[in-house]
Amino acid sequence: MNFLELTKVDMEFPTPKGTFKALDCVDLNIAEGEFVSLIGHSGCGKSTVLNIVAGLYEATKGGVILEGKEVNEPGPERAVVFQNHSLLPWLTAYQNVELAVNTVFSKTKSKAEIKDWIEHNLELVHMSHAMHKRPDEISGGMKQRVGIARALAMQPKVLLMDEPFGALDALTRAHLQDSVMEIQNKLGNTIIMITHDVDEAVLLSDRIVMMTNGPAATIGEILKVELERPRDRLALADNPEYNHYRSEVLRFLYEKQRKVEPISSAKKESGDKESKVA
Amino acid sequence: MSISAVLQQPLKPFIKIAKEGVSKDDAVSLFKALSLPILGLAIFLLLWQVAAQNIVTSLGNFPGPGEVYNQASNLVEEHRVEREAVQKKYERQRERNEKKLAKNPDAQVKWREYKSRITFFDQIGTSLITVLCGFILASLIAIPIGIVIGLSASSYQAINPIIQILKPVSPLAWLPLVTMVVSAVYVSDDPAFSKSFIVSMITVSLCCLWPTMINTAVGVAGVSQDLLNVSKVLRLNWFTHVKKIVLPSAIPLMFTGLRLSLGIAWMVLIAAEMLAQNPGLGKFVWDEFQNGSSNSLGRIMVAILVIGFIGFILDRLMLMLQKIVNWDKNAVVR
Ligand SMILES: Nc1ncnc2c1ncn2[C@@H]1O[C@H](COP(=O)(O)OP(=O)(O)OP(=O)(O)O)[C@@H](O)[C@H]1O
Ligand SMILES: [Mg+2]
């Protein structure tokens, strides 16, 4: 039995123009402690897959089974790191994590233990120095780290991350990637991460799940990344194996699933608009 | 922002100068901060004076600024005299009784209570208390209802038509009904509150419920989907969800509503007092109008200015409260 199973997941959204089939027959098995990346072009349905695993969406057909139990509602054992951090702006970093810890551990941990646990998790993401600042007082990277600390503090069975570093600059992103690798190495979490970044996918993942373009997107290929851990980005830069994985993913994205962007028609449309304005 | 910081904000240029001495920039900003409002006021007073001289009523000229100032001093003086008179009565009573007791320690002495006549300032006090009670009562009703209809779309659909129909009703239309109902229901031998107070308060509440209710509902319904997802993933129970996520998100709009409500409450109260002859500033204005002495118009003008000023202060107080409570310290509230 697999740790996490997605079985023949279909997803249809009702829209004013009729139903829109976003996912078609997504089948995926994930082992405990595995780090899986989802990669694919924008709008193909990556977030939809993640939201179904999180329980925020309900699959139209098929379903998700975690440790032999069907997933049918959201819960802290499937913590989510949201794309735009989603911290509560009126709470400090500490209080944001506290809210999560209190709801998960209020019965099993004492007050002092809860405090230690919150501080420990903020320490993990190197945020101890700014724990009592509010989201609007810290940088984007720091917010994202608090978001990760909040998710980690729930001790989830699966950690779901939706483009966690998408909005960050390259340096901060590299830094956070290292943090996540370090934490996963230490805690052995099972992680599903959505990304647009090929390097990020290869560097962090055990497997890269490549999705075809929507509508009715499904899994195109799965690439197993057998690089030794711990991985070091500098050493890997010249590693032929690493570059092979990289080009595999690139080939999938830009040859096999080339997004047929209607650039010419888009141009025409904007041209039309301009002429209308004039 | 702390309370003192909020209080100090309008005085910032002055405080800075007091602390650091005058620099050129400060001098300019101070000059602007002082001169423009003063200029505006001067022009207004001038126009007022000119207009007043040209409006002749059956009670004489329309009161100009000078006349209004005189009447204001009169009102202060009347208040002082009245209070002194009562004070004197009490003193005389005390002396009388002490003499009696000195003669015969077992004598029965009477301690009577003297009531002063109701002055302008008593009316201000009554109005303020009434408006605050009415406003608080309305808020206590409107905020919970707002939260409920904001959270549940079906309850919103059920209640919205009622709100939309009741919202535009003028206070004057409510007044007769409220008066009759209060007279019928609120019967007690030793009432803690006078009937007129209850009538004014309820009328005020009925009219100022709506902005708070609607704005709270809109704020509650507008909680961002991301935060709702956080709440779902954490499986927050209903109470924590409302307390930690919904209410803080709704606070900015809720306060917008509260400020609108307080403004309406103050306007409605004056009208209700006038119509129902319930004690307060409205009654003062009406009494002066009925009086028809040569001073009346001036005194009414004083009352109008006081009403405006109090309305302004009430709004500033709410704004201050809003700044203290608001978590978004960067938000521009005005
Ligand atoms: N609630 C919804 N209602 C209708 N259509 C939806 C809904 N959510 C997603 N879709 C559609 O489903 C498709 C997949 O969306 P999804 O957000 O999963 O894409 P994505 O791969 O995460 O894209 P991106 O990389 O830009 O975040 C899109 O075409 C989108 O328009
Ligand atoms: Mg997405």
Side-chain angles (χ1 to χ4, degrees), chain A residues 56 73-80 82 84 86-91 99-100 103 134 136 150 154, chain B residues 223 226-230 232-237 240 243-246 248-249 326-330:
Chain A
L56 292 167
E73 60 170 342
E77 78 278 6
R78 281 159 286 119
V80 185
F82 295 92
N84 51 356
S86 297
L87 298 178
L88 308 189
W90 43 87
L91 299 183
L99 182 65
T103 49
R134 271 212 281 260
D136 58 355
R150 174 172 68 184
M154 299 180 217
Chain B
V223 180
D226 293 329
L227 299 189
L228 293 181
N229 281 344
V230 170
K232 280 188 201 156
V233 169
L234 290 177
R235 267 200 217 133
L236 296 183
N237 60 40
T240 323
K243 194 176 95 182
K244 293 279 183 179
I245 302 214
V246 170
S249 312
N326 204 347
W327 43 268
D328 188 359
K329 300 302 178 200
N330 300 322

Side-chain angles (χ1 to χ4, degrees), chain A residues 100-155:
Chain A
V101 173
N102 274 344
T103 49
V104 180
F105 296 111
S106 60
K107 295 214 178 79
T108 48
K109 281 193 200 306
S110 73
K111 269 201 178 138
E113 280 171 333
I114 284 184
K115 182 164 178 288
D116 287 346
W117 180 240
I118 298 167
E119 283 170 359
H120 167 74
N121 279 282
L122 284 164
E123 177 70 52
L124 266 184
V125 295
H126 309 295
M127 278 297 297
S128 304
H129 60 290
M131 88 176 158
H132 297 297
K133 290 202 167 142
R134 271 212 281 260
D136 58 355
E137 299 167 322
I138 58 182
S139 71
M142 289 158 96
K143 280 182 238 190
Q144 209 51 280
R145 281 194 252 168
V146 178
I148 295 173
R150 174 172 68 184
L152 287 174
M154 299 180 217
Q155 268 190 345

